[in-house]
Amino acid sequence: MAKCPECDSDLELEGYDLDVGETINCPECSVELKVTNNDPVTVTLPAE
Ligand SMILES: [Zn+2]
């Protein structure tokens, strides 16, 4: 399961049809996360 790199909480992304390059917001800390892989889903903090 993907984890938020900011707050380390589990991201429940199962069943979401995410595309690489898409951005989502962490439900816990609201940080913006960029999808870097979708099988399995991995996210990273966008470069600042
Ligand atoms: Zn977070």
Side-chain angles (χ1 to χ4, degrees):
M1 180 177 287
K3 280 195 172 194
C4 175
E6 182 73 12
C7 68
D8 209 37
S9 70
D10 290 330
L11 299 172
E12 301 207 19
L13 301 173
E14 309 295 321
Y16 284 81
D17 191 15
L18 296 169
D19 293 319
V20 173
E22 191 169 337
T23 54
I24 60 172
N25 287 92
C26 174
E28 290 296 322
C29 67
S30 298
V31 75
E32 188 172 81
L33 302 168
K34 187 172 186 178
V35 179
T36 55
N37 194 8
N38 60 9
D39 187 26
V41 174
T42 53
V43 295
T44 189
L45 294 169
E48 295 183 51

